[in-house]
Amino acid sequence: MKLPYSWIKKVSKTKKEAENLAEDLTLAGIKVESVSKKGNDVIIDFEITTNRGDQLGILGIAREVAAIEGRKLEKSFPSVGQLPSKNPLNIQDESGLCSSFASIIIENVEFKPSPKEIKEPIEKVGIRSLGNIVDITNLVMIETGIPIHAFDIDKIKGQFKIRQTKKGEHITTLDGKDRQLPEGSLIIEDKDKIFDLLGMMGGQNSEVDESTKNILLWVPVPNPVVIRKTGKTLGFRTEASTRYEKKLDQAAPSWVVEYAASLILKEAGGQASSKYERIPEIRLEPIEINLSYINLFIGETIETKTITKILENLHFEVAAKGDNLTLIPPSFRPDVKIKQDVIEEIVRIYGFNNFSLTIPEGPLPTELNPNLELTIKETLTALGFYETLSASLISQELIDKAQVHNKVIKLLNPMSDDYAFLRPSLLPTLLVQLEGNLSNFDQVSLFESGKVFLDEKGELELPLQPTITSAVSTQPLLYIKGAVDNLAHKLNLPIIIEPNSRSYFEIGQGFIIKTGTKILGEIGQINSQVLGNFDIKKNVSFLTIYNQVAIENRLDFKFKPIPKYPFIIEDVAILVDQKHRAGEIIKTINNTSSLIYEINVTDDYKDKKMSSREHSLTFQIKYYSEKGTLSNEEIGKTREKILQTLKQKFSATIR
Amino acid sequence: MQAYLLELQSDAVKAISEARTETQLEKLRVKYLGRKNGILKKIFDDLADMSVEDKRLIGPLANQVKREIEERIEEKAKSTKLLIKSVKASDNLQVKDKVPEGKQTDITLPSTAPVLGTLNPLTLAIEDTKKIYGSLGFTWWDGPEIETDEYNFQKLLLNPDHPSRDTQDTYYVSLQSEGREKEKLLLRTHTSSMQVRFLESHKPPVRVLFPGRVYRRDAIDATHLPTFHQIEGVLVGEAIKLTDLLGTIKYYITKMFGEKVKVRFYGHNFAYTEPSIEVEMFYRGRWLEILGAGMIHPGVIKNAGLDPDKYTGFAFGMGAERLAMIKYEIEDIRHFYNGDLRFLKQF
């Protein structure tokens, strides 16, 4: 909302320059967006918060300026003297949505161009001059913050009925546009036609022009919610409607209409013949507040007389009785209802930057998050993976390309096809990002941690939305497996990896990771079709860990005593059918004797001399006993047993 | 002669132990053991002219002394790592080792160790925030992104007609699963949805951060993405004061951005806090809006099932990408979400 500094200065009687004033107001909660010179004046652009319907004009701002400077603004506006209360136009509110209004009829006015002192102020804030009568209505709006409209009475026939529209009605507004009105908009109609879109814009058919002789000044306070809805549906807002969208002072129409009438009588001549208004009984509830409460809430003691003065300067009625204050807010502050609202008034004028700063005291909270999500991430970065992020809304196209159709949740009101679904997997965007890097890097390893979504029942009566961590890499599958091993070690998770197929994994290259009976995640090679869909010409391995499963299934750390005696280390190389997995063979060897401490695969190769189904595996076996260094005999016996088992169970050939 | 030899030995041993430089040690070697003019050479020459009896007496002793002096010189050389070389040129101590051909390693070649990956700068900003608030006893919690209208709006006093709801244009989801088609679920528009969710199930005292993803139905352009991250904070207890809020915020900003930063509070309006403030900081030459905060509205405390006369508290919220963009001088929000390694590797 733009207002000229000179006008604020005149009404508030401040001695401060525009920049300083702007800063004071911002600190007190009236945010200034910009301060710009215009000719020899300065235009201040305010951002008024939704709760301050009283700040929409010079008056409201000037009141704040005075309060900030320790004064109470006393400003009175000229009135028109006693006028008969008559309703010749038959003004009636059928809608029940116009809680307050006031109107004055002025006859025999002269439509003329406006003098400088009327034109200039409104032109400064970007409103066009349209003749004395309309200009005065705009000037009064800018000055008081309450919009006012002037009708040419002679264009209104028989009645002045306020109602809501039904479907399919329309009006040509002052700007010449024929508007199809949404159902429920507030309009005013006479016997023949709709002539006003209440709160938004007047109708062309009732507008004041050069031929106008008799006018009705009209100051309504319509329901803010309806005005906002209408404006949103029609897609336009005016100076008037933006004001009506906030709660205005219901007592104001009565004096605002008189002020406007007095200006018009001065500028356009004529006689005010009658006034008709309906102002509801405005009884703002008194608020009881205790001074000790205020000071405890703030954390610092403000002198009682300071508190009282601030509130009085803001036009509150203050009655003190001992430690208690009874306050009645002014009619233009319907937003102040509870103790905390009052405290906000006190502290914002006192100045938020004038308080001491403390750290909260209190008993120790008992919750503590071990932040294991970070451990998962750091394990991956230690292995050379880079953490990325992506939008959690994706397109049908990406879902299809990555073959991750699975109970995908659709948005009811997407903005575009690109962001029309909630991602069921992190794979699609990881592949997109991996591909994007291949032009600059040979090896790409990325991971992301975030939620995926499935149309299935989850916790808290909401759909399933687990947080998972997925990684893609151009490194081989056995490299990315290192992430699983390291993570299992860091989080103390026993794991088993078993074959499992997925639509996006290559056949025979997909695996499920389990910890106990729970599914911890999956790992595998992405199949060539999916890679082709993403234009990726390298092999990509993919890993997913379900964060909650990892975190919740950790075992307690148990220290393993360091061996007292030396190991005896031997290698056994075998030729064996590839269908027997290394893990299986190791498990079997382990079970043959308690003297085996550890077995690792140290070599795995294939050459042309072997049959297509065989490969050579070398195992390094560490023998150990708690009782002492093992003898050659003991080792020999164990070795024999191992070799026998390998031959029998796996038809292995010892090399 | 014997006495002479023993005295010679003791002098030599003393001189050797006091030798400081390679040159000095070499001089001593030449003095005592030199092939042409060394003292011991002279002694052996004289020995040749002695009687057989004298030879038998002096010879072994002379040899012993010679050995002793040799050993001492060797020892000294080893223990101080002096090289006994023929110093032909000068007393210059700087030994320019001549490295044999092909033995010099080129250390400027890239290391063969794997390069560490990096955390996304958004994560860095969030983790830093967790640590700083952690020092004030804050824990952190995760929450649902598909949320109900209740927790996202109504329990925060944002009823359906509230004007703030316009600025937070909302995505709604359509569910197919049994019995849920009629439900009106949305994607949370702010992490404030966690305030009542958490307070309902955790009795005060409560100090908790809610970092997480939020969704706004905005036109997608250079600075607007359909999803971004916020960090919410809630502290509720008995007798929590406004000055606690101001102090906590100042503490955080100072720890996050440095002691030189200046912090300014000013009045604002949120439906779920009263009083409400916005906070700006003066950083690298300009004032930047950094977060919104306020004392939690008693209506919200009530909605969480707590007595607002007994419990007070404050809440704050900030844009997480914004924090990272300010701290790391990142100019475009889309970098966080593009996965470009040329961006990610910098951190």
Side-chain angles (χ1 to χ4, degrees):
Chain A
M1 179 190 72
K2 293 194 166 80
L3 294 176
Y5 161 72
S6 59
W7 201 345
I8 299 172
K9 182 173 178 180
K10 195 172 86 180
V11 174
S12 70
K13 299 193 175 45
T14 182
K15 297 193 171 63
K16 292 218 173 115
E17 291 305 312
E19 289 279 356
N20 288 337
L21 200 69
E23 182 164 323
D24 284 351
L25 285 164
T26 301
L27 291 175
I30 301 124
K31 193 164 184 193
V32 171
E33 300 264 84
S34 66
V35 174
S36 31
K37 271 181 90 66
K38 194 167 179 180
N40 56 0
D41 201 347
V42 178
I43 306 299
I44 304 179
D45 195 2
F46 296 93
E47 187 193 291
I48 306 296
T49 49
T50 53
N51 61 330
R52 297 303 300 269
D54 65 300
Q55 287 176 359
L56 299 163
I58 299 287
L59 178 64
I61 300 293
R63 274 196 291 246
E64 289 288 321
V65 171
I68 292 165
E69 294 178 359
R71 305 178 272 114
K72 181 178 177 182
L73 185 77
E74 302 286 7
K75 171 127 177 85
S76 58
F77 290 87
S79 61
V80 198
Q82 272 297 86
L83 285 173
S85 174
K86 284 198 278 193
N87 188 7
L89 285 176
N90 194 8
I91 298 173
Q92 36 170 306
D93 175 22
E94 202 184 73
S95 71
L97 292 167
C98 202
S99 53
S100 173
F101 64 78
S103 64
I104 286 180
I105 295 177
I106 302 180
E107 294 166 343
N108 296 314
V109 292
E110 193 187 341
F111 181 100
K112 284 198 301 237
S114 296
K116 196 172 78 148
E117 58 269 20
I118 304 274
K119 245 176 43 158
E120 226 178 54
I122 63 170
E123 280 178 337
K124 272 187 190 169
V125 296
I127 298 177
R128 269 191 318 143
S129 170
L130 295 165
N132 52 358
I133 294 168
V134 176
D135 289 357
I136 284 170
T137 59
N138 282 321
L139 183 133
V140 167
M141 173 179 73
I142 300 295
E143 184 158 14
T144 65
I146 308 288
I148 167 171
H149 189 74
F151 293 103
D152 182 334
I153 299 183
D154 299 320
K155 295 178 181 168
I156 299 172
K157 312 280 186 215
Q159 69 179 12
F160 186 108
K161 181 154 75 164
I162 303 165
R163 67 165 172 86
Q164 284 180 288
T165 51
K166 299 180 281 276
K167 267 212 182 103
E169 305 195 76
H170 70 114
I171 182 179
T172 303
T173 42
L174 289 173
D175 54 1
K177 288 203 173 94
D178 183 9
R179 299 187 188 271
Q180 299 304 318
L181 301 174
E183 196 181 345
S185 316
L186 279 174
I187 51 104
I188 313 178
E189 67 176 1
D190 65 11
K191 278 221 318 269
D192 310 319
K193 60 194 185 293
I194 294 172
F195 65 84
D196 186 67
L197 182 57
L198 208 166
M200 299 288 310
M201 200 183 261
Q204 214 170 47
N205 52 13
S206 59
E207 71 175 320
V208 165
D209 58 32
E210 318 81 31
S211 65
T212 301
K213 284 268 152 276
N214 306 301
I215 60 167
L216 174 80
L217 289 175
W218 168 245
V219 186
V221 177
N223 179 293
V225 176
V226 176
I227 303 303
R228 218 178 72 245
K229 254 197 205 134
T230 307
K232 218 172 162 209
T233 315
L234 288 174
F236 81 100
R237 294 161 100 199
T238 58
E239 291 277 353
S241 70
T242 47
R243 288 171 168 82
Y244 284 131
E245 287 178 19
K246 300 186 168 71
K247 284 205 188 115
L248 298 178
D249 180 5
Q250 296 202 69
S254 190
W255 60 264
V256 169
V257 79
E258 295 219 12
Y259 176 45
S262 72
L263 289 177
I264 289 189
L265 291 170
K266 199 162 136 230
E267 289 305 321
Q271 309 85 35
S273 62
S274 63
K275 181 181 186 188
Y276 183 65
E277 66 183 14
R278 198 185 64 195
I279 308 290
E281 171 82 44
I282 293 152
R283 235 342 262 163
L284 289 179
E285 284 299 309
I287 304 169
E288 304 279 344
I289 192 167
N290 177 275
L291 285 162
S292 311
Y293 178 86
I294 296 174
N295 292 318
L296 274 170
F297 187 96
I298 294 171
E300 206 174 282
T301 302
I302 304 180
E303 270 190 63
T304 307
K305 64 175 199 265
T306 309
I307 292 178
T308 315
K309 190 128 196 291
I310 289 175
L311 292 171
E312 282 170 348
N313 288 342
L314 289 170
H315 295 251
F316 284 73
E317 271 175 51
V318 184
K321 196 168 172 190
D323 203 32
N324 291 311
L325 296 177
T326 306
L327 306 159
I328 302 181
S331 63
F332 54 83
R333 295 304 305 274
D335 59 300
V336 178
K337 298 192 276 270
I338 58 175
K339 298 192 294 249
Q340 289 81 353
D341 295 332
V342 174
I343 292 177
E344 182 172 72
E345 295 304 297
I346 298 166
V347 297
R348 71 181 183 85
I349 299 294
Y350 185 83
F352 284 103
N353 296 292
N354 294 326
F355 292 110
S356 61
L357 303 174
T358 58
I359 293 293
E361 288 171 8
L364 285 176
T366 49
E367 294 284 347
L368 196 65
N369 191 320
N371 209 9
L372 293 166
E373 289 79 353
L374 185 62
T375 307
I376 296 174
K377 292 189 187 186
E378 286 179 333
T379 304
L380 285 165
T381 59
L383 292 171
F385 285 78
Y386 294 87
E387 186 190 9
T388 183
L389 292 164
S390 61
S392 41
L393 300 175
I394 60 173
S395 61
Q396 181 69 60
E397 197 193 336
L398 276 179
I399 293 172
D400 292 339
K401 275 190 184 172
Q403 295 180 13
V404 291
H405 319 269
N406 180 27
K407 304 183 186 174
V408 179
I409 298 177
K410 193 166 162 29
L411 291 184
L412 261 175
N413 56 341
M415 281 288 284
S416 74
D417 286 338
D418 282 341
Y419 301 107
F421 297 87
L422 281 167
R423 65 187 179 190
S425 161
L426 298 176
L427 181 61
T429 45
L430 280 171
L431 288 177
V432 169
Q433 293 186 356
L434 182 141
E435 194 276 327
N437 279 299
L438 286 174
S439 49
N440 293 311
F441 298 91
D442 282 333
Q443 294 287 5
V444 179
S445 296
L446 297 168
F447 76 95
E448 180 174 2
S449 232
K451 284 191 168 54
V452 294
F453 308 87
L454 297 167
D455 195 346
E456 209 182 282
K457 191 151 176 213
E459 292 173 349
L460 305 169
E461 314 259 298
L462 295 165
L464 203 58
Q465 38 189 324
T467 302
I468 66 174
T469 304
S470 286
V472 289
S473 181
T474 48
Q475 299 280 12
L477 189 56
L478 286 177
Y479 181 90
I480 210 173
K481 184 199 172 197
V484 186
D485 290 338
N486 278 293
L487 201 65
H489 173 72
K490 270 261 174 224
L491 293 178
N492 226 11
L493 290 164
I495 57 166
I496 296 173
I497 306 182
E498 288 169 0
N500 188 49
S501 60
R502 282 284 208 192
S503 48
Y504 42 79
F505 282 147
E506 195 69 66
I507 310 251
Q509 312 264 10
F511 304 89
I512 194 168
I513 309 167
K514 287 203 191 131
T515 181
T517 52
K518 303 267 178 12
I519 299 172
L520 176 63
E522 59 185 44
I523 184 174
Q525 284 287 118
I526 302 297
N527 66 38
S528 46
Q529 186 183 28
V530 171
L531 292 178
N533 291 340
F534 285 88
D535 276 318
I536 295 171
K537 296 180 172 53
K538 289 198 166 184
N539 280 328
V540 174
S541 50
F542 176 62
L543 163 69
T544 295
I545 298 287
Y546 306 130
N547 286 20
Q548 274 314 105
V549 176
I551 290 165
E552 285 167 8
N553 288 283
R554 287 148 39 231
L555 298 177
D556 286 331
F557 174 73
K558 208 167 151 36
F559 176 69
K560 264 175 76 177
I562 295 162
K564 290 200 278 269
Y565 304 101
F567 297 121
I568 310 294
I569 304 176
E570 283 190 348
D571 284 343
V572 174
I574 58 173
L575 201 61
V576 71
D577 191 318
Q578 283 177 261
K579 74 175 183 204
H580 300 298
R581 303 183 310 150
E584 213 189 314
I585 299 175
I586 288 175
K587 205 165 162 201
T588 307
I589 298 176
N590 246 325
N591 287 338
T592 60
S593 167
S594 58
L595 297 180
I596 296 170
Y597 184 86
E598 197 177 278
I599 306 172
N600 286 308
V601 175
T602 52
D603 197 16
D604 160 25
Y605 80 94
K606 208 175 157 54
D607 68 31
K608 290 195 262 285
K609 290 195 225 115
M610 301 172 196
S611 84
S612 61
R613 288 170 41 186
E614 287 181 318
H615 68 154
S616 163
L617 283 175
T618 307
F619 297 94
Q620 183 195 76
I621 305 176
K622 286 185 180 149
Y623 301 100
Y624 177 77
S625 168
E626 284 284 293
K627 302 195 187 103
T629 314
L630 293 164
S631 67
N632 282 334
E633 216 195 304
E634 289 170 299
I635 305 256
K637 278 200 207 134
T638 311
R639 190 196 309 122
E640 261 318 299
K641 211 168 160 215
I642 292 172
L643 297 179
Q644 280 304 328
T645 311
L646 287 170
K647 281 187 220 152
Q648 280 165 10
K649 243 203 133 183
F650 304 108
S651 311
T653 315
I654 315 295
R655 310 191 82 204
Chain B
M1 188 54 157
Q2 278 149 311
Y4 171 67
L5 277 169
L6 290 168
E7 210 186 306
L8 184 75
Q9 182 178 285
S10 106
D11 284 347
V13 166
K14 185 161 182 277
I16 290 165
S17 76
E18 286 169 4
R20 295 245 173 286
T21 69
E22 184 191 301
T23 315
Q24 286 171 356
L25 200 60
E26 179 61 15
K27 277 204 177 123
L28 288 171
R29 189 192 67 77
V30 168
K31 176 178 173 184
Y32 290 101
L33 302 171
R35 244 177 273 134
K36 284 197 193 138
N37 296 313
I39 297 174
L40 280 164
K41 164 120 195 347
K42 289 217 188 81
I43 292 174
F44 280 113
D45 284 349
D46 291 348
L47 201 61
D49 297 329
M50 282 183 201
S51 63
V52 174
E53 265 172 42
D54 282 342
K55 269 194 208 160
R56 231 183 285 152
L57 262 167
I58 306 296
L61 182 60
N63 274 315
Q64 192 185 304
V65 170
K66 180 173 173 238
R67 270 198 308 275
E68 181 69 26
I69 295 176
E70 276 172 357
E71 275 174 30
R72 291 289 172 134
I73 289 178
E74 217 187 291
E75 229 181 86
K76 181 79 178 175
K78 271 196 209 148
S79 74
T80 56
K81 292 204 176 90
L82 296 173
L83 296 169
I84 305 285
K85 286 193 310 199
S86 310
V87 180
K88 284 183 183 146
S90 62
D91 277 352
N92 193 347
L93 278 177
Q94 269 194 13
V95 179
K96 285 195 172 79
D97 293 340
K98 268 192 78 170
V99 182
E101 193 84 22
K103 292 271 179 189
Q104 179 65 53
T105 303
D106 182 0
I107 199 67
T108 61
L109 289 169
S111 110
T112 54
V115 178
L116 296 175
T118 60
L119 293 172
N120 193 291
L122 181 74
T123 300
L124 295 175
I126 293 175
E127 292 301 316
D128 282 347
T129 302
K130 283 183 195 168
K131 270 197 212 99
I132 295 168
Y133 280 106
S135 66
L136 293 176
F138 277 76
T139 182
W140 70 272
W141 211 257
D142 189 25
E145 287 170 28
I146 301 179
E147 217 359 320
T148 63
D149 191 277
E150 259 194 293
Y151 285 100
N152 193 70
F153 289 122
Q154 292 170 46
K155 297 214 181 210
L156 296 171
L157 312 179
L158 290 161
N159 55 55
D161 290 324
H162 199 283
S164 302
R165 292 183 71 159
D166 289 348
T167 53
Q168 294 194 11
D169 269 0
T170 314
Y171 282 114
Y172 288 90
V173 296
S174 141
L175 297 174
Q176 303 304 310
S177 49
E178 214 181 275
R180 315 203 69 191
E181 302 85 6
K182 293 279 170 61
E183 273 182 275
K184 208 170 177 223
L185 292 176
L186 48 80
L187 297 181
R188 67 176 177 189
T189 58
H190 48 190
T191 41
S192 312
S193 59
M194 284 306 293
Q195 285 188 25
V196 175
R197 268 218 184 271
F198 192 84
L199 285 172
E200 267 181 354
S201 50
H202 294 83
K203 239 180 101 71
V206 153
R207 301 187 184 197
V208 58
L209 290 180
F210 307 113
R213 199 183 274 255
V214 302
Y215 301 79
R216 298 280 172 96
R217 193 174 177 274
D218 256 328
I220 290 148
D221 62 31
T223 49
H224 291 94
L225 294 170
T227 98
F228 55 101
H229 291 73
Q230 289 181 335
I231 305 173
E232 191 90 4
V234 164
L235 186 148
V236 174
E238 297 182 43
I240 303 300
K241 333 184 270 295
L242 178 68
T243 52
D244 290 338
L245 166 60
L246 303 175
T248 303
I249 299 296
K250 176 96 195 276
Y251 176 79
Y252 168 68
I253 295 175
T254 312
K255 283 273 178 285
M256 188 73 170
F257 295 98
E259 295 293 330
K260 288 213 196 101
V261 80
K262 286 192 268 219
V263 175
R264 187 165 74 173
F265 307 109
Y266 51 91
H268 196 61
N269 176 248
F270 299 108
Y272 32 89
T273 51
E274 191 81 12
S276 311
I277 55 172
E278 270 191 340
V279 185
E280 277 184 345
M281 65 174 190
F282 192 78
Y283 184 66
R284 296 209 189 110
R286 0 170 241 147
W287 282 103
L288 295 162
E289 208 181 284
I290 191 92
L291 58 83
M295 302 300 287
I296 301 179
H297 196 290
V300 175
I301 305 266
K302 239 190 262 173
N303 285 341
L306 300 168
D307 178 359
D309 284 323
K310 183 165 185 217
Y311 296 111
T312 47
F314 59 79
F316 53 83
M318 41 201 166
E321 284 87 354
R322 187 170 164 71
L323 288 173
M325 287 169 81
I326 293 170
K327 189 154 186 188
Y328 300 110
E329 296 183 288
I330 298 167
E331 89 294 0
D332 190 334
I333 196 174
R334 290 169 295 180
H335 288 320
F336 297 102
Y337 294 90
N338 278 343
D340 193 331
L341 284 172
R342 294 169 301 180
F343 171 76
L344 299 174
K345 273 180 187 265
Q346 292 188 40
F347 300 95

